[in-house]
Amino acid sequence: MTSCSIHLKVYCTILIVFIFSLSGCKSTPDPVKPSYVIPAALSHLPADAANQGLDIIDVQLSLGDRNLYLANNGNIKMLSTAQCQLDISAHRGDFRQPESSANAISSALNDNFNSVEIDVMLLKDGTWVDHHDSQTGRATVYYTGERFKLNRMSFQQFSNLKLRDKHSNNLLNQRPITAAEAFKVFGAYRDQSQRLNVEIKSDTNGQKLVELDNMLRKYIGLGGFYYSAAELDVLYKLRGINPSVYLGFIQGGHPTSVEKLAADLRKGVKNDAYYLDNQHNLELAGRYGTKRYRSRYKDYTAKSSLTQLQKKLGSNSGLHLDIRSFMQHPSVRYSAHQLGMKVYTYSLNGSDYHQTQLLKLTIDQLPDGAIVDATPYKICQRLFNGAKPKKRYQASSNVGRYITSLPQDADFDRFDEMLGYQTEGYYLSLASGLKAIHSTPVNKVPNNIPTPLLEHGFPTITDEIIDTDTGDTIILSLPSRQAD
């Protein structure tokens, strides 16, 4: 009995020591790596705002005085676009990213576009894909260099396509995405207020359109997308499939816009980036803007034509037209609104031309939306002064002071470039290129020495004044007439 109690005591002692050793281990937690704490002064900024780096607080507060902030990706974005009374739609996604890529969609959403426009068409095997051109060679290239019609390609062949970089035209190790992939990306990155504009390029049957609509409902949901097409019958079929969705009928480019595009392209060459980017638009418009296209061009801007459109497409519909047509028929907006329809504009002659035309309009004359190859910041600033400096913040760093000194027309889309001019007192404007921050009158310079200019983006080099009082002799040797 005694031996049992001794053994029991020993066992209890060992157990107690073991328990204390465990508790001792638990009382010493693993070291926790310190996490970066966002400065309180920047806590009000959006989640993608940069919050680390030299003078970041001063930089962000200086930008914030203009309703702007610096994002982690290096872009300058607007804190609020509430004052921008226009649906700004990203043409084929972010214009800086490769077409038909997931990045083009996610980047446009991240840049706060109201909507993102993509093009969808059918392959030979019935697969819906995100692709603009009817054939390969411009934005996408087959690995052998062979050109294909999209409606003759299988999905296996499509998956072997390579995307082209927009800036260098070099091929990338990326493939274009299917329509389903595009819808998934949009659904994953969108804000609830952002919508996808699905432009249908293929003239197809109702069954394939039902398939397309079901994919959009599944990955995005009703209210998160709408359709546009240049074929009225396609939109009519869609109205029967989806009674509530918005339908935008795309009127063809104005004949003058087509001819202007043709003239510009004739000046280019086959490998020119502008030519590659616009050749397909011209081919679709009709043989280089000839009389054939002008004769078959149909204008829907009259109220009677809009009424016919509405009867076929329903009240939740609209007209998407070339900005030149919109400017020539300013009453189209009023007529459309009387019928409960919307009006969107696009341009065949470039985003700059599109913007210059919109700038001629008052706020009450603007279309409901614009499909553009520009950032929301640029459109909002040019049309609505959305980034107007309040001049309430006193910067303390060199970069901050440079930001607060910039005039209202500074181009913050080119912020990195502008920083290279801060010590010289210049900046990049939205419309005029390189300009001086402080314009001061220049006194006349004696000896007819020209004042440095900035017409081409860099100072003019002028001759140095020769001091003739030093007594040194300057000898110049000129060739004789015999040598001529």
Side-chain angles (χ1 to χ4, degrees):
M1 185 77 176
T2 307
S3 63
C4 289
S5 61
I6 292 172
H7 286 301
L8 182 60
K9 288 180 180 179
V10 172
Y11 174 77
C12 290
T13 302
I14 294 172
L15 182 61
I16 291 169
V17 171
F18 179 70
I19 291 172
F20 272 107
S21 66
L22 286 179
S23 64
C25 291
K26 289 182 179 179
S27 64
T28 310
D30 293 334
V32 178
K33 295 181 179 179
S35 58
Y36 180 78
V37 178
I38 297 175
L42 304 182
S43 60
H44 66 288
L45 294 178
D48 68 331
N51 51 47
Q52 299 184 52
L54 183 65
D55 299 320
I56 188 61
I57 294 178
D58 191 56
V59 168
Q60 291 288 29
L61 295 181
S62 299
L63 289 168
D65 189 66
R66 314 173 79 103
N67 188 32
L68 301 172
Y69 71 96
L70 174 64
N72 281 320
N73 61 5
N75 292 340
I76 301 293
K77 297 169 59 177
M78 298 190 71
L79 286 167
S80 171
T81 57
Q83 66 273 53
C84 305
Q85 304 169 41
L86 187 73
D87 183 355
I88 306 171
S89 188
H91 185 219
R92 304 179 209 168
D94 190 328
F95 67 100
R96 296 163 293 196
Q97 299 293 329
E99 277 183 37
S100 305
S101 69
N103 284 345
I105 297 172
S106 61
S107 181
L109 292 172
N110 187 54
D111 212 18
N112 295 333
F113 278 93
N114 301 114
S115 60
V116 179
E117 185 263 357
I118 65 170
D119 305 281
V120 298
M121 57 179 57
L122 286 167
L123 299 179
K124 183 179 180 180
D125 60 9
T127 303
W128 284 103
V129 294
D130 179 356
H131 203 274
H132 175 269
D133 298 357
S134 60
Q135 62 181 356
T136 62
R138 183 187 62 86
T140 59
V141 178
Y142 197 60
Y143 74 99
T144 62
E146 184 180 358
R147 294 175 73 96
F148 281 89
K149 292 277 189 182
L150 263 289
N151 59 9
R152 297 178 183 174
M153 292 188 78
S154 66
F155 175 72
Q156 182 60 45
Q157 291 171 320
F158 181 82
S159 63
N160 285 323
L161 291 175
K162 298 287 187 182
L163 293 174
R164 193 191 291 275
D165 184 89
K166 277 193 170 183
H167 305 287
S168 65
N169 277 329
N170 293 333
L171 297 185
L172 303 171
N173 191 27
Q174 299 178 41
R175 64 169 179 82
I177 56 178
T178 64
E181 289 172 324
F183 303 159
K184 289 177 184 177
V185 171
F186 185 87
Y189 287 94
R190 72 177 282 242
D191 182 86
Q192 287 302 308
S193 63
Q194 293 173 311
R195 297 196 298 164
L196 183 66
N197 173 6
V198 182
E199 182 178 339
I200 300 173
K201 294 288 188 181
S202 296
D203 187 4
T204 185
N205 57 45
Q207 181 180 349
K208 297 306 296 182
L209 293 174
V210 168
E211 177 187 314
L212 182 70
D213 193 67
N214 285 339
M215 282 194 295
L216 284 161
R217 292 172 187 244
K218 177 181 178 180
Y219 296 123
I220 298 176
L222 285 173
F225 65 90
Y226 62 93
Y227 296 108
S228 60
E231 294 294 332
L232 195 55
D233 286 342
V234 168
L235 295 176
Y236 180 68
K237 293 173 188 174
L238 280 167
R239 178 54 75 214
I241 296 166
N242 192 328
S244 62
V245 72
Y246 172 83
L247 302 176
F249 174 66
I250 303 173
Q251 178 177 298
H254 190 280
T256 303
S257 296
V258 175
E259 290 164 5
K260 176 70 168 60
L261 178 61
D264 289 346
L265 293 186
R266 290 191 192 103
K267 297 174 185 176
V269 290
K270 288 285 184 179
N271 62 350
D272 181 74
Y274 181 82
Y275 185 96
L276 288 172
D277 197 42
N278 290 281
Q279 181 186 22
H280 187 72
N281 289 335
L282 191 59
E283 290 170 352
L284 288 180
R287 297 193 179 179
Y288 297 87
T290 58
K291 293 180 181 179
R292 178 173 176 266
Y293 175 73
R294 187 175 284 276
S295 65
R296 64 187 177 90
Y297 169 74
K298 188 170 182 181
D299 189 352
Y300 290 84
T301 57
K303 189 171 182 178
S304 57
S305 299
L306 289 170
T307 302
Q308 292 301 315
L309 275 179
Q310 188 199 47
K311 285 182 179 178
K312 192 157 190 174
L313 303 181
S315 58
N316 193 15
S317 60
L319 180 65
H320 297 194
L321 70 166
D322 186 358
I323 184 62
R324 199 180 301 270
S325 298
F326 182 83
M327 298 300 288
Q328 290 188 3
H329 303 279
S331 63
V332 64
R333 180 183 184 274
Y334 177 75
S335 299
H337 285 188
Q338 279 190 315
L339 297 168
M341 301 174 72
K342 293 182 179 179
V343 178
Y344 281 68
T345 57
Y346 67 88
S347 177
L348 292 178
N349 302 134
S351 183
D352 287 340
Y353 175 75
H354 195 174
Q355 291 176 56
T356 57
Q357 297 305 298
L358 292 174
L359 281 168
K360 297 177 181 179
L361 305 171
T362 65
I363 291 178
D364 293 336
Q365 294 173 326
L366 287 170
D368 297 287
I371 304 167
V372 298
D373 295 288
T375 62
Y377 152 74
K378 179 170 268 189
I379 301 296
C380 283
Q381 175 62 355
R382 295 196 73 183
L383 296 181
F384 305 100
N385 292 323
K388 184 178 180 180
K390 300 180 181 68
K391 299 183 179 180
R392 296 174 183 169
Y393 178 71
Q394 296 294 322
S396 57
S397 68
N398 289 334
V399 176
R401 284 191 289 269
Y402 178 65
I403 292 170
T404 56
S405 73
L406 292 172
Q408 187 171 317
D409 66 334
D411 187 355
F412 280 91
D413 274 345
R414 303 171 69 185
F415 181 60
D416 284 344
E417 287 182 67
M418 278 202 298
L419 288 178
Y421 297 104
Q422 61 177 308
T423 57
E424 285 81 16
Y426 295 106
Y427 74 102
L428 295 166
S429 73
L430 285 165
S432 308
L434 194 62
K435 294 173 65 176
I437 293 177
H438 303 291
S439 298
T440 56
V442 178
N443 295 326
K444 291 185 178 180
V445 181
N447 298 329
N448 297 321
I449 298 173
T451 303
L453 302 175
L454 290 164
E455 295 175 354
H456 306 291
F458 50 84
T460 300
I461 299 174
T462 60
D463 292 333
E464 189 175 348
I465 299 175
I466 299 175
D467 186 357
T468 57
D469 297 329
T470 59
D472 295 335
T473 303
I474 301 173
I475 301 176
L476 300 177
S477 299
L478 300 175
S480 64
R481 287 219 175 256
Q482 285 80 1
D484 293 342

